[in-house]
Amino acid sequence: MTERTGRCLCGSVSFKLTAEPIATRICWCRDCQHLAANGTVNLMVPLEALSVSGALAEHTKKADSGNTVTRMFCPTCGTHLLARSSARPQFRVLRAGNLDDPSSIQPTANIWAASAPTWACLDVDLERVDQQPQAPKPAAPPAS
């Protein structure tokens, strides 16, 4: 496993991830499109494997999935860094573009693909999920 680090645009907020992502997907929901003017590449990571330094501001709203989503961003530069969902409080969604090495991950699916604009470049080699994906399966306990 590779430790990953990242930060906001101004450097006021930084983070360290000490586990592999549970999932890495490109999200085309309308909220992500508002955040990035495009789809966003997101890592779903275990909460206990993520440490954040610096103050975060928050914005909470109900998503198209019906879940309450809280987005966390740098109050100085406005960089969107993380999100948490009421449906999966044990995980955080981390924006891949804020990684110091975004090439260290590889997306496996396009989610909310039905919401993508007609001009979107969706990689046909990735799994396509038109709306909300299934919850990730919990990791299997180690064999004894």
Side-chain angles (χ1 to χ4, degrees):
M1 195 287 304
T2 302
E3 181 177 282
R4 292 178 175 88
T5 57
R7 67 199 80 260
C8 66
L9 184 61
C10 73
S12 295
V13 180
S14 61
F15 60 86
K16 179 168 51 172
L17 178 63
T18 58
E20 290 299 314
I22 304 299
T24 303
R25 306 178 288 211
I26 305 167
C27 184
W28 291 95
C29 77
R30 289 297 296 141
D31 287 349
C32 282
Q33 289 180 54
H34 280 282
L35 290 169
N38 209 333
T40 62
V41 181
N42 305 311
L43 290 73
M44 183 178 288
V45 301
L47 176 59
E48 68 274 3
L50 180 66
S51 60
V52 179
S53 297
L56 289 168
E58 296 184 349
H59 174 72
T60 300
K61 79 178 278 269
K62 190 171 191 171
D64 288 342
S65 64
N67 300 319
T68 300
V69 177
T70 300
R71 291 174 177 83
M72 294 161 266
F73 55 95
C74 173
T76 303
C77 67
T79 300
H80 182 237
L81 294 154
L82 303 164
R84 71 175 175 263
S85 170
S86 60
R88 299 177 182 113
Q90 72 276 28
F91 300 121
R92 291 296 178 267
V93 174
L94 179 67
R95 302 295 180 201
N98 298 313
L99 290 168
D100 290 331
D101 181 10
S103 293
S104 70
I105 55 96
Q106 178 62 46
T108 60
N110 282 293
I111 64 172
W112 288 94
S115 300
T118 56
W119 49 258
C121 299
L122 278 69
D123 186 337
V124 296
D125 291 335
L126 299 181
E127 176 187 7
R128 179 189 171 112
V129 179
D130 280 337
Q131 293 185 330
Q132 181 71 21
Q134 295 290 334
K137 304 268 189 272
S144 344

